[in-house]
């Protein structure tokens, strides 16, 4: 690593893991001239992915929670380059980045190559529809803010149309089907119930949000929240029942159409609006990327140091990486969670300093602080400290909701610092009194 040319660290993907890492390395290395840190992302703005179900339900405005990459890069001393990584040349140590186009299809930035000494891939995951017929054409996925916003607009329009129909003596029913009762599906179902209640108070005179907006949650496993404990699943099932969400477990979806969901048992569930939230995979272009090792979900295989198994100069973390989780059993890999990505970013910030100094790299050890599932603005359920105290502590209600929100606060603090986040929180709370409880457009 020559002293004259700073070491080039290229981070691909500015999400829950990549953006805090870029901010930390910008401060610790780039500002001191020890390395050149560059972040690449296809979008100009970052929205923390676990907020997307709130955006979809209309409780959160993605624009007001978006972070502009060029601005945060300026603040933390790293560079931002817009574009999607499309290829890798490990021999030349370059990545390919696709062209960027504006809304009218005019090219803004051409296709380019970017050089690195250390490459960190953190491109996240996308929904896995397992090739179920009809999903691509009829279901919305919650992978990006535009998808979440599209669902919200459709929900608003369907509610307004149903209200009008009912006012004219017709049927006001709107059927929302959510496929997959993992945390995303459960949280979305609860949020939709809360937001349609709020929406109905703003001039929908005929619609009864409890009875007319029907929400079905469909899960192939015998119970909801399969990766979490039975206790949490039972508590969440009760809360969903109170929110009048119809839970259908043990129902494997085999096809969806524009009107209904068909399951292996022969059931047909009506669906005016359909969300696919069953399973994730890493982007397909990662599979076999210039000889790097991937698993069946396209995740890059990495060692405990988060270096890819076949190239020590290429790191991967977050949802797009399959990182061993020896504490959970032989062959286990870490789950795709923001908590994992956040902790891995913290480790990598240290690893990069060690790498520049020629010291051995630390190994990643996941500290499981538990899992929380939000069931609306005032409620959550989950377990705390599961892996740390050797047993899970069930938490529910407002305290759990507050702890759930604290994960986002930690992400914000990593980007903006404690003082700015505190001012922002106070500002939003005060502004909340002036704004409708749900986004109405
Ligand atoms: C609705 C929803 C709710 C969730 N709730 C929770 C929760 O409560 N708790 C929890 O722990 N986890 C939750 N998750 C999971 C959590 O969002 C992910 O585990 C976490 O975001 C993973 O972080 P990441 O950095 O790996 O990927 P991401 O945060 O997804 O970031 C990936 C980044 O890579 C960029 N990118 C993609 N392709 C390219 C490319 N080709 N080139 C360059 N950049 C690219 C994307 O634009 C994005 O900025 C939720 C997920 C969803 C969808």
């Amino acid at each position: 690593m020559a002293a004259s040319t700073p070491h080039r660290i290229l981070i691909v993907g500015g999400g829950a893991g990549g953006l805090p890492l870029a901010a930390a390395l910008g401060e610790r290395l780039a500002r001191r001239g020890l390395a050149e840190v560059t972040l690449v992302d296809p979008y100009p703005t970052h929205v923390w992915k676990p907020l997307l179900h709130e955006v979809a339900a209309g409780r959160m405005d993605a624009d007001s929670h978006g972070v502009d990459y060029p601005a945060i890069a300026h603040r933390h001393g790293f560079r931002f380059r817009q574009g999607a990584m499309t290829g890798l040349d490990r021999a030349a140590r370059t990545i390919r980045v696709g062209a960027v186009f504006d809304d009218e299809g005019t090219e803004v930035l051409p296709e380019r190559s970017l050089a690195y000494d250390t490459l960190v891939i953190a491109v996240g995951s996308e929904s896995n529809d397992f090739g179920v017929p009809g999903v691509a054409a009829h279901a919305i996925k919650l992978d990006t803010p535009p998808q979440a916003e599209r669902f919200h607009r459709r929900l608003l329009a369907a509610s307004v149309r149903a209200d009008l129909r009912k006012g004219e003596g017709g049927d006001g029913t709107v059927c929302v089907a959510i496929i997959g009762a993992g945390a995303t599906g459960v949280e979305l179902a609860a949020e939709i119930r809360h937001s349609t209640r709020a929406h109905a108070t703003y001039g929908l005179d005929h619609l009864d949000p409890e009875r007319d907006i029907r929400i079905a949650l469909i899960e192939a496993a015998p119970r909801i929240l399969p990766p979490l404990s039975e206790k949490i699943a039972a508590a969440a099932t009760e809360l969903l029942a109170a929110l009048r969400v119809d839970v259908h477990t043990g129902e494997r979806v085999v096809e969806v159409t524009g009107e209904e969901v068909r399951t292996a048992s022969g059931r047909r569930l009506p669906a005016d609006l359909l969300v696919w939230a069953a399973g994730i995979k890493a982007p397909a272009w990662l599979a076999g990327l210039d000889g790097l090792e991937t698993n069946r979900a396209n995740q890059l295989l990495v060692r405990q140091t988060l270096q890819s198994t076949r190239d020590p100069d290429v790191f991967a973390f977050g949802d797009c990486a399959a990182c061993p989780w020896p504490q959970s059993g032989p062959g286990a890999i870490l789950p795709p969670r923001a908590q994992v990505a956040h902790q891995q970013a913290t480790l990598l910030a240290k690893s990069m300093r060690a790498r520049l100094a020629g010291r051995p790299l630390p190994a990643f050890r996941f500290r499981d602080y538990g899992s929380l599932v939000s069931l609306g603005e005032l409620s959550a359920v989950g377990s705390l400290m599961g892996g740390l105290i050797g047993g899970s502590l069930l938490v529910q209600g407002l305290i759990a909701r507050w702890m759930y929100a604290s994960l986002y606060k930690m992400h914000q603090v990593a980007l903006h610092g404690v003082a700015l986040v505190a001012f922002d929180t106070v500002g939003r709370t005060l502004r909340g009194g002036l704004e409708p409880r749900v986004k109405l457009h």
Side-chain angles (χ1 to χ4, degrees):
M1 293 156 203
S4 52
T5 51
H7 187 88
R8 293 161 301 181
I9 301 174
L10 187 55
I11 303 166
V12 184
L19 184 53
L21 175 63
L25 293 179
E27 293 292 346
R28 293 178 203 174
L29 299 180
R31 280 213 193 285
R32 296 177 193 171
L34 299 172
E36 190 183 283
V37 179
T38 305
L39 176 70
V40 180
D41 200 282
Y43 300 101
T45 308
H46 159 81
V47 175
W48 196 57
K49 200 172 179 186
L51 298 178
L52 291 186
H53 63 283
E54 295 184 32
V55 174
R59 197 155 69 79
M60 183 165 278
D61 183 353
D63 287 342
S64 83
H65 282 263
V67 175
D68 289 333
Y69 286 114
I72 198 98
H74 174 72
R75 197 176 317 144
H76 291 288
F78 65 90
R79 295 177 180 178
F80 174 66
R81 298 286 178 261
Q82 192 180 347
M85 176 175 172
T86 53
L88 169 65
D89 184 338
R90 290 196 287 133
R93 292 189 179 208
T94 55
I95 66 163
R96 286 304 287 166
V97 175
V100 176
F101 299 90
D102 67 14
D103 290 345
E104 274 129 37
T106 308
E107 187 176 282
V108 180
L109 290 166
E111 197 185 1
R112 291 142 289 160
S113 284
L114 296 177
Y116 67 86
D117 297 304
T118 299
L119 177 63
V120 185
I121 302 179
V123 293
S125 59
E126 53 194 40
S127 304
N128 189 353
D129 66 16
F130 305 99
V132 171
V135 174
H138 302 293
I140 288 193
K141 298 173 179 175
L142 295 189
D143 293 329
T144 62
Q147 288 171 335
E149 282 167 340
R150 190 176 326 132
F151 176 82
H152 171 59
R153 285 194 297 273
R154 284 192 194 174
L155 180 65
L156 282 183
S159 304
V160 170
R161 276 197 300 266
D163 185 62
L164 187 68
R165 274 199 314 272
K166 202 168 172 197
E168 290 168 350
D171 177 19
T173 311
V174 178
C175 296
V176 181
I178 301 166
I179 302 168
T184 302
V186 168
E187 291 179 340
L188 179 66
E191 284 294 344
I192 291 175
R193 174 59 76 224
H194 290 297
S195 77
T196 50
R197 276 178 187 163
H199 186 198
T201 62
Y202 297 114
L204 299 185
D205 298 330
H206 311 287
L207 204 70
D208 175 349
E210 306 291 323
R211 285 170 214 288
D212 292 330
I213 310 279
R214 299 198 185 149
I215 306 171
L217 188 57
I218 307 160
E219 169 62 50
R223 65 169 171 86
I224 65 165
L225 299 170
L228 304 185
S229 76
E230 296 226 1
K231 261 202 243 169
I232 299 178
T237 304
E238 248 177 58
L239 290 165
L240 287 173
L243 291 170
R244 298 182 71 105
V245 172
D246 299 321
V247 176
H248 305 272
T249 50
E251 295 287 356
R252 187 168 56 82
V253 173
V254 291
E255 188 182 359
V256 303
T257 68
E259 291 87 38
E260 63 183 17
V261 175
R262 298 176 183 165
T263 72
S265 70
R267 291 190 71 178
R268 292 173 168 222
L269 299 156
D272 302 307
L273 287 168
L274 193 58
V275 179
W276 183 269
I280 59 126
K281 62 180 181 186
W285 59 268
L286 286 179
L289 183 68
D290 198 16
L292 294 178
E293 213 176 351
T294 43
N295 63 12
R296 281 174 55 197
N298 306 326
Q299 289 170 305
L300 291 161
L301 303 198
V302 296
R303 302 182 194 285
Q304 296 292 141
T305 54
L306 306 180
Q307 284 164 302
S308 60
T309 48
R310 294 200 178 135
D311 189 335
D313 295 333
V314 179
F315 292 67
F317 77 107
D319 286 7
C320 73
C323 178
W325 191 14
Q327 296 88 347
S328 184
I333 59 166
L334 287 165
R337 279 161 51 188
Q339 201 188 136
V340 172
H342 184 86
Q343 290 181 28
Q344 289 179 328
T346 306
L347 178 102
L348 281 175
K350 292 182 191 141
S351 309
M352 292 301 142
R353 283 217 291 212
R355 193 167 150 80
L356 291 186
R359 293 196 306 267
L361 301 187
F364 182 67
R365 191 183 157 88
F366 177 49
R367 294 172 69 80
D368 187 357
Y369 290 105
S371 305
L372 291 164
V373 181
S374 161
L375 285 133
E377 201 173 355
L378 299 176
S379 179
V381 60
S383 68
L384 284 186
M385 307 286 183
L388 294 183
I389 60 173
S392 60
L393 195 66
L394 188 74
V395 282
Q396 279 196 59
L398 256 180
I399 291 183
R401 181 66 184 105
W402 178 79
M403 288 172 168
Y404 177 88
S406 67
L407 189 59
Y408 179 44
K409 291 287 168 222
M410 275 163 60
H411 177 69
Q412 288 182 303
V413 166
L415 301 181
H416 310 300
V418 177
L420 279 182
V421 173
F423 286 132
D424 179 66
T425 306
V426 172
R428 282 179 196 278
T429 309
L430 294 176
R431 245 190 0 256
L434 300 172
E435 288 170 356
R437 281 179 294 137
V438 62
K439 196 167 175 245
L440 297 169
H441 54 86

